[in-house]
């Protein structure tokens, strides 16, 4: 079972360090749910809520930032809609 957001109860998604660095540089968001520790399950990723932090994941962009879903597939925030 995937970890759920403490605020809204949605399934968390995962970001690689490279993606996180790109988001911080390009969007400069104020994260609400970004985990501070890297999760080893997918080779060193951090978790984030795609609902509470939709802006940070690129919901307003034509193509959102790459995220990893709990089942290991890749996509963007737009694949959740």
């Amino acid at each position: 079972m995937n970890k759920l957001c403490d605020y809204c109860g949605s399934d968390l998604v995962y970001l690689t360090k490279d993606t996180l660095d790109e988001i911080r540089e390009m969007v400069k968001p104020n994260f609400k749910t970004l985990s501070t520790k890297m999760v080893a399950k997918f080779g060193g990723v951090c978790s984030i809520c795609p609902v509470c932090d939709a802006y940070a994941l690129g919901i307003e962009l034509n193509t959102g930032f790459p995220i990893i879903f709990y089942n290991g597939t890749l996509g963007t925030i737009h694949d959740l809609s």
Side-chain angles (χ1 to χ4, degrees), residues 13-16 19 23 50 57-58 63-81:
V13 296
Y14 301 90
L15 300 172
T16 65
T19 299
I23 290 170
L57 296 176
T63 303
F65 294 98
I67 56 177
I68 304 167
F69 300 105
Y70 178 69
N71 64 6
T73 60
L74 298 176
T76 69
I77 185 93
H78 302 292
D79 296 322
L80 295 173
S81 303

Side-chain angles (χ1 to χ4, degrees), residues 3-70:
K3 189 172 178 196
L4 303 177
C5 176
D6 292 335
Y7 296 99
C8 72
S10 296
D11 282 327
L12 298 180
V13 296
Y14 301 90
L15 300 172
T16 65
K17 183 182 180 327
D18 289 341
T19 299
L20 179 57
D21 291 345
E22 184 179 359
I23 290 170
R24 284 184 167 146
E25 182 180 318
M26 197 171 158
V27 182
K28 297 176 180 55
N30 195 6
F31 294 105
K32 182 175 182 179
T33 65
L34 181 68
S35 68
T36 56
K37 62 181 181 178
M38 299 300 270
V39 178
K41 179 172 184 164
F42 298 114
V45 295
C46 54
S47 61
I48 189 169
C49 176
V51 175
C52 296
D53 278 317
Y55 174 77
L57 296 176
I59 194 71
E60 295 182 358
L61 302 174
N62 287 332
T63 303
F65 294 98
I67 56 177
I68 304 167
F69 300 105
Y70 178 69

